[in-house]
Amino acid sequence: MILPPSESAIAQAIAALQQGQLLGLPTETVYGLAADACQDQAVQQIFLRKGRPAQHPLIVHVADAAAAEYFAAAVPDFARALMAAFWPGPLTLILPRRPGVAERAAGGHATIGLRCPAHPVARQVLQQGLQADPPIRGLAAPSANRFGRVSPTQAEHVIEELAGSGQGDLLVLDGGACEIGIESTIVDCSRGQPVLLRPGHVQAQDIARVTGLPVGRSGAARDAQDDGAPQAPGTLSAHYAPNATVRLMDASAIQTALGILGAQGKHIAVYARTPMHSPSRDIVLRRMPATPQATAQELFQVLRSFDVQGVKLIWIETVPDEPAWDGVRDRIERAAASASG
């Protein structure tokens, strides 16, 4: 059930969360599948509905930096600086978890991912939740899609992903299309210096500027095997996958392949900044925006549209090797890895 975010709908959403139900929640990055982070049974329903492995932690969304103190056992000074600079906004911080708090949401790990979203609907739910009786101190809210699939950036995408799962109705607050379109940047703040786990809208140079510290980088595969590194959401090497197979190619390779296929080409979509031409009417050509911000905003919606059109293969032009494109590059590389895996 999709509802506009009226006062009555917000009140209905908070009541549902208090009762251990799930909520489709808009944020500026993607839509989340939310539950009260302190209700382990409710959080367990997120894992079941998404088909998400139990050990993969969830990001907990909080109303502000003060609310984060309930979940974090310690907040180093550089993490506080990041909160002051980028919250509310698309930045998740990995911090030591307070014992006995949100254990299920954290996947049983000693750390927890915290974020203060900027979307006005998410903020309204979080702020009013804090004032409720009993209070909702934070919302565990991974992307509202089946595990490993393309994240939803519109309310309708949530229903497409999760309807018919046989796990009951789902209330979704419609906050419009997500402004940013890809998931938050994740920074590990539990190792004494900031370590970038997942790129996003907030870039490494922004983090270094605010903290005055060098920013480490940590590969997902190494993190998964390193007992000293916290598990973090959205850092699997294969993720964000449409139904179609994704291949990354440079512009000349794409145009050459289109020429070889000629008029016989079909069931293929092309997403490229460079203008492409094909004699086949059955090949879907979609122009990628020139800027990383515009590309990020539409990326997941474009991948979904290709699935709707029934394509079997998606050729994506490789993006520039520039820091501003890191978030987009990360998502398309993971989508391609899902196909190859």
Side-chain angles (χ1 to χ4, degrees):
M1 177 171 56
I2 299 176
L3 292 179
S6 63
E7 289 187 12
S8 61
I10 297 290
Q12 183 178 345
I14 291 172
L17 291 165
Q18 288 177 309
Q19 295 165 15
Q21 298 176 28
L22 304 185
L23 172 70
L25 182 72
T27 79
E28 72 276 19
T29 56
V30 300
Y31 274 73
L33 182 62
D36 183 341
C38 296
Q39 293 190 43
D40 284 351
Q41 289 186 343
V43 172
Q44 175 64 17
Q45 294 306 308
I46 295 178
F47 287 91
L48 293 175
R49 194 142 192 171
K50 283 177 61 71
R52 185 185 182 97
Q55 73 274 20
H56 286 263
L58 311 177
I59 292 172
V60 173
H61 296 66
V62 294
D64 50 33
E69 301 280 354
Y70 180 82
F71 296 95
V75 183
D77 289 342
F78 73 87
R80 293 188 188 278
L82 291 172
M83 291 178 182
F86 300 115
W87 281 13
L91 177 67
T92 295
L93 304 180
I94 305 295
L95 294 163
R97 180 173 58 86
R98 189 181 298 278
V101 174
E103 182 171 358
R104 188 69 194 87
H109 300 287
T111 54
I112 190 166
L114 300 175
R115 180 166 99 85
C116 175
H119 195 288
V121 176
R123 293 193 57 71
Q124 191 173 359
V125 172
L126 287 164
Q127 290 165 352
Q128 292 190 22
L130 271 178
Q131 304 303 316
D133 184 19
I136 299 171
R137 299 185 180 276
L139 295 176
S143 56
N145 53 277
R146 299 189 306 279
F147 183 68
R149 282 272 300 154
V150 177
S151 299
T153 55
Q154 299 177 22
E156 294 79 6
H157 297 166
V158 179
I159 300 301
E160 291 170 6
E161 281 287 320
L162 301 176
S165 63
Q167 298 180 45
D169 294 333
L170 178 66
L171 171 61
V172 181
L173 295 177
D174 189 352
C178 297
E179 179 182 359
I180 292 177
I182 60 174
E183 299 81 359
S184 61
T185 303
I186 299 180
V187 177
D188 177 17
C189 298
S190 70
R191 307 193 211 179
Q193 74 171 90
V195 177
L196 183 65
L197 299 185
R198 181 176 71 185
H201 187 75
V202 178
Q203 298 175 34
Q205 59 264 37
D206 302 322
I207 298 162
R209 171 179 52 82
V210 167
T211 62
L213 296 171
V215 178
R217 291 179 179 266
S218 194
R222 187 177 69 82
D223 275 350
Q225 299 172 0
D226 183 357
D227 291 337
Q231 293 260 344
T235 53
L236 294 177
S237 59
H239 213 56
Y240 313 117
N243 292 328
T245 298
V246 175
R247 294 284 182 264
L248 306 184
M249 306 164 65
D250 62 33
S252 61
I254 293 176
Q255 190 57 70
T256 298
L258 290 174
I260 292 172
L261 289 174
Q264 305 304 312
K266 58 182 179 179
H267 303 308
I268 295 174
V270 175
Y271 188 47
R273 295 181 319 286
T274 305
M276 297 292 169
H277 309 281
S278 171
S280 172
R281 296 182 179 180
D282 295 321
I283 288 183
V284 181
L285 301 177
R286 176 73 179 256
R287 190 76 176 269
M288 181 188 293
T291 68
Q293 294 81 10
T295 304
Q297 200 279 333
E298 72 169 30
L299 175 62
F300 290 150
Q301 187 277 330
V302 168
L303 295 180
R304 285 180 178 276
S305 73
F306 290 155
D307 278 346
V308 169
Q309 294 174 81
V311 304
K312 304 300 182 184
L313 183 61
I314 302 172
W315 292 342
I316 300 180
E317 182 182 353
T318 52
V319 300
D321 187 16
E322 300 170 2
W325 285 91
D326 283 353
V328 170
R329 184 185 308 104
D330 173 80
R331 301 323 188 269
I332 61 176
E333 286 179 352
R334 293 179 197 270
S338 295
S340 62

